[in-house]
Amino acid sequence: GNYKLVQHTEDGTFLFDLQNDPGEDHDIAAKRPKVVERMTEDLDQARETLGLPALDAPITPPELPELSDAERQALIDLGYLEE
């Protein structure tokens, strides 16, 4: 089949057969547990290979660079920062 696996941190895991259900209206995860298991293993392996965080990993905002006075003023003038 032409399957799509969807993992959601709050709502769980869903499996759709895109060939027979292109609108993704019918979750077939319970009917195809082996497909869910295989695709989940493939996804976990891809995450590990690519160095991606787990789906439920905490999100850490990036460090902001130090701004020069001119850069800071330009961002204030553009409305991105407040004085």
Side-chain angles (χ1 to χ4, degrees):
N2 189 10
Y3 297 112
K4 177 180 177 180
L5 181 73
V6 177
Q7 291 182 330
H8 191 275
T9 56
E10 295 175 9
D11 296 331
T13 299
F14 305 91
L15 182 68
F16 300 101
D17 181 345
L18 298 179
Q19 184 173 347
N20 296 313
D21 180 22
E24 301 175 23
D25 296 317
H26 306 286
D27 174 24
I28 60 168
K31 294 178 183 177
R32 301 280 191 273
K34 290 185 185 227
V35 174
V36 171
E37 182 180 350
R38 180 181 49 80
M39 291 183 76
T40 299
E41 289 172 359
D42 290 347
L43 183 57
D44 289 343
Q45 184 177 9
R47 276 193 194 114
E48 186 177 326
T49 299
L50 297 172
L52 299 175
L55 185 62
D56 58 352
I59 298 172
T60 306
E63 294 287 325
L64 297 177
E66 291 293 322
L67 299 174
S68 68
D69 291 340
E71 290 170 325
R72 183 170 177 72
Q73 188 59 53
L75 291 172
I76 290 170
D77 292 344
L78 291 169
Y80 291 111
L81 293 178
E82 295 180 6
E83 288 192 60

